[in-house]
Structure formats: C-alpha cells, structure tokens
Amino acid sequence: AIPKFAYKKGTTTLGFEFKGGIIIAVDSRATQGQYIASQTVQKVIEINNYLLGTMAGGAADCQYWERYLGMECRLWELRNNSRITIAAASKILSDIAWSQRNMDLSMGTMVAGWDKHGPSLYYVDNDGTRMKHKLFSVGSGSIYAYGVLDTGYHYDLEVEEACDLA
C-alpha cells in the first residue's frame, strides 16, 4: 500500500546575508486552512528600489502595511533629502505593528535591503517585535528551512552557492 503523507500547508520565507549581499526566498502558495487558494502569490513586496519585504501570515495585513511602509519611506526621503536606512524603515513598520497590536493583525515579515551601512535584514511581526540578524525564516515551514540553513549556511558563500541554498 502507498503510505499517505500529511502534507503541511502554509508559508515559508527565508532570508540571509552573505558576502555577496542578501538572498530572499519565498514559496508562492496561499492557503485558507486546508484549501490552497493560489499557487502564484507574490510574497516578496518591493517597498522601494533598495528595500524588500516578505509576507507570512495574513496576506492583506502584510501587503497593506508594507505598501504603507513604502509611502512612509518616500515621505522620509522627501523630508530629509536622503534615503531611509533599513533600520529606520524596519522601526517604522515595528512602530505601526505595535500601535495596532490589539487589532488582530497577522504579520510575520522580513525587511531586507542595502543602505549606506551595507546589507541589513530585520524581522518584524504583528506584536511590534523587531530583530536584526544575519538569517531568518518566517512562516509555518520555517523549522524546516532553519534545518537546511543550519547545515548549509556560512557567511562566505559565493552567489551561486547562496542561490542553491535558498
């Protein structure tokens, strides 16, 4: 008899810094409980030309607040006549999430990019938690992604090796 597998459904996003920059990798499936709603969801959101956000959790929450972050980053640039840093952009998103913490948001995001300080990768969630690190995985499949990253990740990866790992 053919064994039946209990497939896990949900999101897996990962990102890591390496000597060539930052790699972001995401799946493309959207689920609603056990129902697969779409196989072609864009879970990487361009906040601006040098800043990306990822989506895990409620698609509407992630898309809305990361697009709102894009507007806030543009306003920052107009007010200060300089590009916003990745740290400042992630702090804005964290402050927004903190202010909305009792509104049942569902958001687990990475904010990644390149600024005057080099590459940066931050994790921000719906409670306003904000962390900077060299690698993150977010979503229900993150434990599996961390298993792969634990065995294959090191900062000195070449671009091709980093792409293969992601």
Side-chain angles (χ1 to χ4, degrees):
I2 298 172
K4 293 188 177 185
F5 293 102
Y7 292 104
K8 301 290 184 192
K9 295 176 177 62
T11 294
T12 305
T13 66
L14 68 86
F16 58 86
E17 288 183 36
F18 71 107
K19 72 178 184 178
I22 294 181
I23 293 278
I24 297 292
V26 299
D27 67 321
S28 61
R29 183 172 57 188
T31 59
Q32 296 172 330
Q34 296 299 314
Y35 173 70
I36 298 173
S38 174
Q39 297 272 11
T40 58
V41 175
Q42 296 293 323
K43 294 184 181 178
V44 177
I45 297 169
E46 184 178 325
I47 297 168
N48 60 31
N49 290 335
Y50 60 93
L51 189 59
L52 297 174
T54 64
M55 266 187 357
D61 291 339
C62 293
Q63 285 179 339
Y64 178 81
W65 290 113
E66 287 185 20
R67 288 188 175 140
Y68 186 87
L69 176 60
M71 179 200 64
E72 289 290 333
C73 290
R74 181 65 182 134
L75 289 173
W76 169 285
E77 291 173 3
L78 292 170
R79 288 181 187 127
N80 298 291
N81 206 19
S82 66
R83 286 186 0 185
I84 191 168
T85 63
I86 312 308
S90 67
K91 179 65 174 152
I92 289 171
L93 185 59
S94 173
D95 289 346
I96 289 168
W98 173 256
S99 72
Q100 302 291 318
R101 69 190 175 283
N102 295 322
M103 303 304 284
D104 292 328
L105 294 180
S106 176
M107 240 175 33
T109 67
M110 287 181 284
V111 177
W114 192 283
D115 60 22
K116 63 186 176 187
H117 304 293
S120 295
L121 181 63
Y122 286 84
Y123 165 80
V124 178
D125 71 14
N126 49 264
D127 294 324
T129 302
R130 174 179 166 262
M131 294 183 284
K132 179 180 171 50
H133 203 283
K134 298 275 186 213
L135 64 92
F136 286 110
S137 183
V138 184
S140 59
S142 64
I143 55 172
Y144 304 107
Y146 276 128
V148 172
L149 290 171
D150 281 346
T151 59
Y153 173 77
H154 55 89
Y155 184 80
D156 293 326
L157 290 169
E158 296 296 328
V159 173
E160 187 173 321
E161 294 172 314
C163 291
D164 289 343
L165 180 60

